[in-house]
Structures are given as structure tokens and as C-alpha cells.
Amino acid sequence: MPGRSAPGLCLLNNSALAATVLRERYGKVAIIDVDLHHGNGTQDIFLLS
């Protein structure tokens, strides 16, 4: 649906924050994105780290 999402405009990425904390504790984490658009912001956070 064009015009309904704003990629990259999330001020706080809760899933990325939680995954970062869990990754420090357990080593590996899976993020399951269940909404209707691609989580490119979350993906970018972990691709660049």
C-alpha cells in the first residue's frame, strides 16, 4: 500500500534494542517480523553492526 509506511523513520526500534540485549546474553537471536512490510530499518541496524 503506497503512502502508508515511512521506511527509516522509526525513532525507537524496540525489536532491535531487545535483540541487541539478548544477543549480548545468548549470542544468537531470531527476529520474526509479522507485519505487512519489510523491516528494512531493523535489517540495516544489524547489517551495519
Side-chain angles (χ1 to χ4, degrees):
M1 290 183 261
R4 292 202 38 129
S5 64
L9 294 180
C10 293
L11 297 177
L12 182 64
N13 190 322
N14 292 332
S15 59
L17 289 172
T20 300
V21 171
L22 292 170
R23 193 165 82 168
E24 290 172 359
R25 179 176 282 178
Y26 298 109
K28 287 189 176 185
V29 199
I31 299 173
I32 301 171
D33 189 0
V34 294
D35 58 9
L36 298 175
H37 68 282
H38 177 68
N40 57 334
T42 303
Q43 177 183 337
D44 289 346
I45 289 169
F46 292 105
L47 282 177
L48 301 175
S49 64

